[in-house]
mmCIF file of all heavy atoms in Angstrom:
data_model
loop_
_atom_site.group_PDB
_atom_site.id
_atom_site.type_symbol
_atom_site.label_atom_id
_atom_site.label_comp_id
_atom_site.label_asym_id
_atom_site.label_seq_id
_atom_site.Cartn_x
_atom_site.Cartn_y
_atom_site.Cartn_z
ATOM 1 N N GLY A 61 0.453 -3.360 9.342
ATOM 2 C CA GLY A 61 1.147 -4.616 8.999
ATOM 3 C C GLY A 61 0.161 -5.675 8.504
ATOM 4 O O GLY A 61 0.451 -6.441 7.604
ATOM 5 N N LEU A 62 -1.010 -5.751 9.145
ATOM 6 C CA LEU A 62 -2.014 -6.697 8.752
ATOM 7 C C LEU A 62 -2.525 -6.417 7.364
ATOM 8 O O LEU A 62 -2.651 -7.324 6.530
ATOM 9 C CB LEU A 62 -3.148 -6.704 9.772
ATOM 10 C CG LEU A 62 -4.363 -7.610 9.435
ATOM 11 C CD1 LEU A 62 -3.959 -9.062 9.412
ATOM 12 C CD2 LEU A 62 -5.481 -7.384 10.400
ATOM 13 N N ILE A 63 -2.853 -5.162 7.075
ATOM 14 C CA ILE A 63 -3.265 -4.756 5.746
ATOM 15 C C ILE A 63 -2.221 -5.110 4.726
ATOM 16 O O ILE A 63 -2.529 -5.621 3.638
ATOM 17 C CB ILE A 63 -3.615 -3.265 5.680
ATOM 18 C CG1 ILE A 63 -4.805 -2.973 6.590
ATOM 19 C CG2 ILE A 63 -3.853 -2.775 4.283
ATOM 20 C CD1 ILE A 63 -6.091 -3.666 6.202
ATOM 21 N N CYS A 64 -0.985 -4.805 5.049
ATOM 22 C CA CYS A 64 0.097 -5.134 4.143
ATOM 23 C C CYS A 64 0.141 -6.664 3.838
ATOM 24 O O CYS A 64 0.302 -7.089 2.682
ATOM 25 C CB CYS A 64 1.461 -4.678 4.711
ATOM 26 S SG CYS A 64 2.872 -5.091 3.696
ATOM 27 N N ALA A 65 0.077 -7.467 4.891
ATOM 28 C CA ALA A 65 0.131 -8.903 4.732
ATOM 29 C C ALA A 65 -1.019 -9.436 3.894
ATOM 30 O O ALA A 65 -0.843 -10.299 3.028
ATOM 31 C CB ALA A 65 0.179 -9.590 6.093
ATOM 32 N N LEU A 66 -2.256 -8.947 4.181
ATOM 33 C CA LEU A 66 -3.423 -9.371 3.406
ATOM 34 C C LEU A 66 -3.314 -9.010 1.950
ATOM 35 O O LEU A 66 -3.618 -9.779 1.057
ATOM 36 C CB LEU A 66 -4.695 -8.804 4.057
ATOM 37 C CG LEU A 66 -5.051 -9.409 5.402
ATOM 38 C CD1 LEU A 66 -6.252 -8.620 6.007
ATOM 39 C CD2 LEU A 66 -5.372 -10.861 5.331
ATOM 40 N N PHE A 67 -2.876 -7.777 1.697
ATOM 41 C CA PHE A 67 -2.741 -7.336 0.316
ATOM 42 C C PHE A 67 -1.624 -8.104 -0.377
ATOM 43 O O PHE A 67 -1.767 -8.466 -1.564
ATOM 44 C CB PHE A 67 -2.474 -5.809 0.289
ATOM 45 C CG PHE A 67 -2.405 -5.250 -1.070
ATOM 46 C CD1 PHE A 67 -3.406 -5.502 -1.997
ATOM 47 C CD2 PHE A 67 -1.356 -4.407 -1.453
ATOM 48 C CE1 PHE A 67 -3.357 -4.948 -3.320
ATOM 49 C CE2 PHE A 67 -1.340 -3.860 -2.725
ATOM 50 C CZ PHE A 67 -2.270 -4.127 -3.632
ATOM 51 N N ALA A 68 -0.560 -8.383 0.289
ATOM 52 C CA ALA A 68 0.544 -9.162 -0.306
ATOM 53 C C ALA A 68 0.060 -10.569 -0.628
ATOM 54 O O ALA A 68 0.368 -11.117 -1.722
ATOM 55 C CB ALA A 68 1.727 -9.253 0.616
ATOM 56 N N ALA A 69 -0.727 -11.166 0.281
ATOM 57 C CA ALA A 69 -1.281 -12.523 0.004
ATOM 58 C C ALA A 69 -2.207 -12.501 -1.228
ATOM 59 O O ALA A 69 -2.094 -13.400 -2.066
ATOM 60 C CB ALA A 69 -1.995 -13.037 1.256
ATOM 61 N N PHE A 70 -3.073 -11.518 -1.288
ATOM 62 C CA PHE A 70 -3.972 -11.443 -2.457
ATOM 63 C C PHE A 70 -3.150 -11.177 -3.741
ATOM 64 O O PHE A 70 -3.434 -11.746 -4.774
ATOM 65 C CB PHE A 70 -5.037 -10.349 -2.281
ATOM 66 C CG PHE A 70 -5.991 -10.330 -3.413
ATOM 67 C CD1 PHE A 70 -6.997 -11.249 -3.508
ATOM 68 C CD2 PHE A 70 -5.859 -9.358 -4.438
ATOM 69 C CE1 PHE A 70 -7.916 -11.231 -4.573
ATOM 70 C CE2 PHE A 70 -6.751 -9.344 -5.488
ATOM 71 C CZ PHE A 70 -7.763 -10.275 -5.576
ATOM 72 N N SER A 71 -2.112 -10.352 -3.611
ATOM 73 C CA SER A 71 -1.270 -10.077 -4.804
ATOM 74 C C SER A 71 -0.538 -11.358 -5.258
ATOM 75 O O SER A 71 -0.406 -11.544 -6.468
ATOM 76 C CB SER A 71 -0.267 -8.960 -4.485
ATOM 77 O OG SER A 71 -0.959 -7.763 -4.211
ATOM 78 N N LEU A 72 -0.078 -12.146 -4.337
ATOM 79 C CA LEU A 72 0.560 -13.432 -4.705
ATOM 80 C C LEU A 72 -0.449 -14.338 -5.418
ATOM 81 O O LEU A 72 -0.100 -15.004 -6.409
ATOM 82 C CB LEU A 72 1.119 -14.162 -3.478
ATOM 83 C CG LEU A 72 2.382 -13.506 -2.897
ATOM 84 C CD1 LEU A 72 2.766 -14.200 -1.552
ATOM 85 C CD2 LEU A 72 3.520 -13.609 -3.853
ATOM 86 N N TYR A 73 -1.679 -14.321 -4.933
ATOM 87 C CA TYR A 73 -2.742 -15.075 -5.627
ATOM 88 C C TYR A 73 -2.919 -14.557 -7.059
ATOM 89 O O TYR A 73 -3.024 -15.329 -8.032
ATOM 90 C CB TYR A 73 -4.058 -14.985 -4.860
ATOM 91 C CG TYR A 73 -5.239 -15.438 -5.661
ATOM 92 C CD1 TYR A 73 -5.487 -16.789 -5.912
ATOM 93 C CD2 TYR A 73 -6.101 -14.506 -6.237
ATOM 94 C CE1 TYR A 73 -6.570 -17.202 -6.684
ATOM 95 C CE2 TYR A 73 -7.171 -14.899 -6.999
ATOM 96 C CZ TYR A 73 -7.403 -16.251 -7.195
ATOM 97 O OH TYR A 73 -8.469 -16.667 -7.972
ATOM 98 N N ALA A 74 -2.930 -13.239 -7.215
ATOM 99 C CA ALA A 74 -3.119 -12.635 -8.547
ATOM 100 C C ALA A 74 -1.922 -13.029 -9.453
ATOM 101 O O ALA A 74 -2.164 -13.341 -10.617
ATOM 102 C CB ALA A 74 -3.253 -11.128 -8.438
ATOM 103 N N VAL A 75 -0.737 -12.944 -8.921
ATOM 104 C CA VAL A 75 0.429 -13.283 -9.732
ATOM 105 C C VAL A 75 0.367 -14.799 -10.140
ATOM 106 O O VAL A 75 0.659 -15.173 -11.275
ATOM 107 C CB VAL A 75 1.763 -12.971 -8.957
ATOM 108 C CG1 VAL A 75 2.956 -13.617 -9.635
ATOM 109 C CG2 VAL A 75 1.912 -11.480 -8.845
ATOM 110 N N ALA A 76 -0.028 -15.655 -9.195
ATOM 111 C CA ALA A 76 -0.089 -17.085 -9.466
ATOM 112 C C ALA A 76 -1.159 -17.389 -10.510
ATOM 113 O O ALA A 76 -0.957 -18.256 -11.375
ATOM 114 C CB ALA A 76 -0.360 -17.835 -8.178
ATOM 115 N N SER A 77 -2.283 -16.664 -10.470
ATOM 116 C CA SER A 77 -3.371 -16.965 -11.395
ATOM 117 C C SER A 77 -3.279 -16.212 -12.709
ATOM 118 O O SER A 77 -3.792 -16.695 -13.739
ATOM 119 C CB SER A 77 -4.716 -16.747 -10.721
ATOM 120 O OG SER A 77 -4.895 -15.404 -10.358
ATOM 121 N N GLU A 78 -2.704 -15.018 -12.700
ATOM 122 C CA GLU A 78 -2.684 -14.169 -13.912
ATOM 123 C C GLU A 78 -1.296 -13.912 -14.488
ATOM 124 O O GLU A 78 -1.155 -13.340 -15.527
ATOM 125 C CB GLU A 78 -3.328 -12.812 -13.587
ATOM 126 C CG GLU A 78 -4.717 -12.896 -12.999
ATOM 127 C CD GLU A 78 -5.787 -13.383 -13.975
ATOM 128 O OE1 GLU A 78 -5.598 -13.202 -15.154
ATOM 129 O OE2 GLU A 78 -6.794 -13.938 -13.477
ATOM 130 N N GLY A 79 -0.232 -14.296 -13.739
ATOM 131 C CA GLY A 79 1.105 -14.055 -14.177
ATOM 132 C C GLY A 79 1.657 -12.741 -13.579
ATOM 133 O O GLY A 79 0.923 -11.887 -13.170
ATOM 134 N N PRO A 80 2.983 -12.607 -13.595
ATOM 135 C CA PRO A 80 3.609 -11.444 -12.938
ATOM 136 C C PRO A 80 3.312 -10.138 -13.639
ATOM 137 O O PRO A 80 3.458 -9.074 -13.023
ATOM 138 C CB PRO A 80 5.092 -11.770 -12.960
ATOM 139 C CG PRO A 80 5.252 -12.765 -14.021
ATOM 140 C CD PRO A 80 3.977 -13.523 -14.103
ATOM 141 N N PHE A 81 2.992 -10.150 -14.903
ATOM 142 C CA PHE A 81 2.664 -8.892 -15.624
ATOM 143 C C PHE A 81 1.193 -8.825 -16.042
ATOM 144 O O PHE A 81 0.851 -8.083 -16.971
ATOM 145 C CB PHE A 81 3.607 -8.761 -16.828
ATOM 146 C CG PHE A 81 5.050 -8.639 -16.429
ATOM 147 C CD1 PHE A 81 5.873 -9.728 -16.569
ATOM 148 C CD2 PHE A 81 5.556 -7.512 -15.856
ATOM 149 C CE1 PHE A 81 7.199 -9.687 -16.188
ATOM 150 C CE2 PHE A 81 6.870 -7.403 -15.463
ATOM 151 C CZ PHE A 81 7.693 -8.507 -15.634
ATOM 152 N N GLY A 82 0.353 -9.539 -15.362
ATOM 153 C CA GLY A 82 -1.058 -9.541 -15.643
ATOM 154 C C GLY A 82 -1.742 -8.232 -15.495
ATOM 155 O O GLY A 82 -2.782 -7.959 -16.049
ATOM 156 N N PHE A 83 -1.104 -7.333 -14.660
ATOM 157 C CA PHE A 83 -1.703 -6.026 -14.441
ATOM 158 C C PHE A 83 -1.530 -5.115 -15.665
ATOM 159 O O PHE A 83 -2.310 -4.197 -15.883
ATOM 160 C CB PHE A 83 -1.040 -5.336 -13.255
ATOM 161 C CG PHE A 83 0.400 -4.989 -13.421
ATOM 162 C CD1 PHE A 83 0.745 -3.769 -13.926
ATOM 163 C CD2 PHE A 83 1.422 -5.927 -13.170
ATOM 164 C CE1 PHE A 83 2.107 -3.440 -14.157
ATOM 165 C CE2 PHE A 83 2.750 -5.618 -13.377
ATOM 166 C CZ PHE A 83 3.090 -4.370 -13.870
ATOM 167 N N TRP A 84 -0.496 -5.341 -16.469
ATOM 168 C CA TRP A 84 -0.167 -4.385 -17.527
ATOM 169 C C TRP A 84 -1.269 -4.200 -18.584
ATOM 170 O O TRP A 84 -1.553 -3.076 -18.951
ATOM 171 C CB TRP A 84 1.171 -4.768 -18.158
ATOM 172 C CG TRP A 84 1.698 -3.652 -18.999
ATOM 173 C CD1 TRP A 84 1.845 -3.648 -20.353
ATOM 174 C CD2 TRP A 84 2.154 -2.371 -18.515
ATOM 175 N NE1 TRP A 84 2.351 -2.428 -20.767
ATOM 176 C CE2 TRP A 84 2.555 -1.634 -19.651
ATOM 177 C CE3 TRP A 84 2.202 -1.794 -17.283
ATOM 178 C CZ2 TRP A 84 3.018 -0.316 -19.569
ATOM 179 C CZ3 TRP A 84 2.720 -0.471 -17.188
ATOM 180 C CH2 TRP A 84 3.083 0.246 -18.321
ATOM 181 N N PRO A 85 -1.886 -5.299 -19.063
ATOM 182 C CA PRO A 85 -2.951 -5.089 -20.044
ATOM 183 C C PRO A 85 -4.083 -4.179 -19.532
ATOM 184 O O PRO A 85 -4.668 -3.397 -20.268
ATOM 185 C CB PRO A 85 -3.474 -6.502 -20.343
ATOM 186 C CG PRO A 85 -2.311 -7.368 -20.045
ATOM 187 C CD PRO A 85 -1.587 -6.716 -18.899
ATOM 188 N N ASN A 86 -4.379 -4.285 -18.208
ATOM 189 C CA ASN A 86 -5.432 -3.395 -17.650
ATOM 190 C C ASN A 86 -5.080 -1.925 -17.753
ATOM 191 O O ASN A 86 -5.947 -1.062 -17.893
ATOM 192 C CB ASN A 86 -5.658 -3.731 -16.182
ATOM 193 C CG ASN A 86 -6.298 -5.103 -15.990
ATOM 194 O OD1 ASN A 86 -7.107 -5.508 -16.769
ATOM 195 N ND2 ASN A 86 -5.925 -5.762 -14.933
ATOM 196 N N HIS A 87 -3.786 -1.615 -17.724
ATOM 197 C CA HIS A 87 -3.356 -0.241 -17.738
ATOM 198 C C HIS A 87 -3.097 0.316 -19.117
ATOM 199 O O HIS A 87 -2.835 1.485 -19.291
ATOM 200 C CB HIS A 87 -2.083 -0.060 -16.879
ATOM 201 C CG HIS A 87 -2.285 -0.312 -15.442
ATOM 202 N ND1 HIS A 87 -3.315 0.275 -14.715
ATOM 203 C CD2 HIS A 87 -1.648 -1.166 -14.572
ATOM 204 C CE1 HIS A 87 -3.232 -0.141 -13.449
ATOM 205 N NE2 HIS A 87 -2.252 -1.035 -13.372
ATOM 206 N N THR A 88 -3.136 -0.526 -20.133
ATOM 207 C CA THR A 88 -2.808 -0.111 -21.495
ATOM 208 C C THR A 88 -3.964 -0.273 -22.490
ATOM 209 O O THR A 88 -3.781 0.028 -23.654
ATOM 210 C CB THR A 88 -1.600 -0.871 -22.013
ATOM 211 O OG1 THR A 88 -1.908 -2.298 -21.998
ATOM 212 C CG2 THR A 88 -0.358 -0.641 -21.187
ATOM 213 N N GLN A 89 -5.129 -0.629 -22.003
ATOM 214 C CA GLN A 89 -6.239 -0.895 -22.911
ATOM 215 C C GLN A 89 -7.055 0.325 -23.280
ATOM 216 O O GLN A 89 -7.574 0.388 -24.380
ATOM 217 C CB GLN A 89 -7.209 -1.947 -22.281
ATOM 218 C CG GLN A 89 -6.646 -3.330 -22.290
ATOM 219 C CD GLN A 89 -7.586 -4.318 -21.641
ATOM 220 O OE1 GLN A 89 -8.604 -3.979 -21.107
ATOM 221 N NE2 GLN A 89 -7.224 -5.601 -21.726
ATOM 222 N N ASN A 90 -7.173 1.265 -22.340
ATOM 223 C CA ASN A 90 -8.013 2.406 -22.608
ATOM 224 C C ASN A 90 -7.659 3.565 -21.677
ATOM 225 O O ASN A 90 -6.726 3.473 -20.899
ATOM 226 C CB ASN A 90 -9.526 2.021 -22.457
ATOM 227 C CG ASN A 90 -9.849 1.403 -21.101
ATOM 228 O OD1 ASN A 90 -9.295 1.802 -20.082
ATOM 229 N ND2 ASN A 90 -10.708 0.412 -21.097
#
Side-chain angles (χ1 to χ4, degrees):
L62 176 64
I63 294 298
C64 177
L66 291 172
F67 184 49
F70 184 78
S71 297
L72 287 173
Y73 166 76
V75 168
S77 63
E78 307 289 334
F81 297 103
F83 68 91
W84 194 247
N86 291 325
H87 295 308
T88 59
Q89 288 179 353
N90 54 38

